[in-house]
């Protein structure tokens, strides 16, 4: 095939361009399925939706284009590790979001760098990822326990022998199925105590506030 060259740089290579677009579309379809139908359906976090999509695109092209210059596997894994431990300064990324981030990066790396595999193997790998996420997200046999910080105003209830009274009072006030409670800092001047409660919750209705590990400074 004839192509134009300028200063020894290939300007057009239709087969390579077509292959790149095909692999990109393949990766985008499976990443979209994971994000739209599994992650976003439960969390409704549009900020992470945006983040996952762009990270997938960035990782794919980074690995795919660097692969064209014979990048070593060690370097690819190094890049994978760097992006796999991303933490944003605004808030700590929750475990579920970090797991999806790990899966999305894995798929993007596989789809970009597995040039020696057949398309059947690549399709099978992507389908296995999707099915695995579907099975885990659909499984209802495990009880989900969430945690929440509470600034409690009855210090007299925190004594060990009044543990049941404390739990019952918290259940009555919050309406939650509280399973356990941990006592933190105590302020006798303001008659308040910091509690961390663990309660049974419906994962579909989980609130992002449950992930807060600190109260605002004005409420301490």
């Amino acid at each position: 095939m004839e192509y134009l060259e300028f200063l020894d740089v290939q300007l057009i290579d239709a087969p390579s361009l077509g292959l790149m677009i095909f692999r990109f579309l393949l990766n985008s379809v499976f990443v979209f399925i994971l994000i739209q139908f599994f992650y976003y359906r439960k969390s409704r976090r549009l900020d992470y939706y945006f983040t996952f999509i762009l990270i997938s695109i960035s990782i794919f092209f980074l690995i795919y284009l660097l692969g064209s210059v014979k990048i070593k596997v060690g370097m690819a894994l190094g890049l994978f590790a760097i992006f796999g431990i991303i933490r944003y300064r605004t808030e700590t990324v929750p475990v579920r979001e970090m797991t999806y981030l790990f899966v999305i990066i894995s798929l993007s790396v596989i789809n970009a760098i597995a040039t020696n595999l057949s398309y059947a193997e690549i399709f099978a790998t992507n389908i296995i990822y999707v099915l695995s996420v579907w099975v885990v997200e659909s499984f209802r046999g495990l009880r989900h326990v969430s945690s929440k910080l509470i600034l409690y105003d009855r210090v007299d209830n925190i004594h060990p022998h009044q543990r049941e009274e404390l739990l019952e009072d918290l259940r009555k006030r919050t309406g939650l199925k509280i399973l356990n409670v941990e006592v933190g800092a105590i302020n006798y001047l303001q008659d308040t105590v910091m509690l961390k409660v663990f309660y049974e919750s419906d994962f579909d209705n989980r609130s992002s506030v449950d992930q807060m590990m600190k109260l605002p400074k004005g409420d301490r």
Side-chain angles (χ1 to χ4, degrees):
M1 176 181 177
E2 295 183 357
Y3 51 81
L4 300 176
E5 288 188 353
F6 179 70
L7 296 179
D8 294 329
V9 176
Q10 185 173 337
L11 298 180
I12 301 175
D13 187 349
S16 296
L17 179 61
L19 178 62
M20 182 184 71
I21 293 175
F22 174 78
R23 282 180 170 269
F24 172 72
L25 292 177
L26 172 68
N27 181 68
S28 299
V29 166
F30 282 98
V31 167
F32 176 78
I33 291 173
L34 287 175
I35 298 174
Q36 177 66 33
F37 297 103
F38 297 108
Y39 172 75
Y40 186 71
R41 183 174 61 86
K42 287 188 175 182
S43 65
R44 299 295 177 183
R45 293 291 301 271
L46 190 60
D47 50 348
Y48 283 111
Y49 193 113
F50 170 83
T51 300
F52 291 157
I53 291 292
L54 290 188
I55 284 183
S56 173
I57 294 173
S58 301
I59 289 291
F60 176 84
F61 281 115
L62 182 64
I63 297 297
Y64 188 89
L65 296 178
L66 286 178
S68 65
V69 294
K70 300 185 185 304
I71 184 173
K72 293 182 178 179
V73 175
M75 183 61 179
L77 293 176
L79 292 170
F80 174 79
I82 291 173
F83 284 96
I85 60 175
I86 289 177
R87 283 194 173 188
Y88 297 97
R89 297 181 64 86
T90 53
E91 62 174 330
T92 301
V93 180
V95 174
R96 184 169 182 264
E97 277 68 16
M98 282 298 296
T99 303
Y100 268 96
L101 178 60
F102 186 82
V103 169
I104 288 166
I105 292 176
S106 299
L107 272 185
S108 300
V109 171
I110 291 170
N111 291 329
I113 205 172
T115 56
N116 295 327
L117 298 179
S118 66
Y119 288 122
E121 291 173 303
I122 295 176
F123 268 103
T125 301
N126 282 268
I127 291 173
I128 289 172
Y129 263 95
V130 172
L131 289 178
S132 299
V133 173
W134 174 72
V135 169
V136 174
E137 288 280 23
S138 302
F139 186 63
R140 300 293 181 180
L142 297 177
R143 181 174 61 178
H144 180 69
V145 177
S146 298
S147 63
K148 190 186 296 290
L149 290 180
I150 294 179
L151 190 60
Y152 191 59
D153 61 352
R154 294 186 59 182
V155 177
D156 55 308
N157 268 359
I158 65 173
H159 297 288
H161 66 278
Q162 292 181 295
R163 182 175 181 81
E164 288 303 319
E165 288 83 347
L166 172 62
L167 291 173
E168 187 60 34
D169 186 44
L170 289 170
R171 293 183 185 120
K172 186 181 299 182
R173 291 192 182 194
T174 63
L176 301 174
K177 299 178 182 178
I178 296 178
L179 305 174
N180 193 18
V181 60
E182 295 179 356
V183 178
I186 303 173
N187 189 330
Y188 284 107
L189 295 178
Q190 297 181 1
D191 197 29
T192 58
V193 57
M194 183 67 67
L195 301 178
K196 185 174 183 180
V197 299
F198 299 87
Y199 61 97
E200 185 177 349
S201 66
D202 183 353
F203 190 81
D204 291 339
N205 297 323
R206 187 188 65 165
S207 170
S208 61
V209 181
D210 290 345
Q211 304 301 319
M212 291 181 59
M213 299 306 297
K214 296 181 180 179
L215 288 172
K217 290 184 179 180
D219 295 335
R220 296 179 191 175

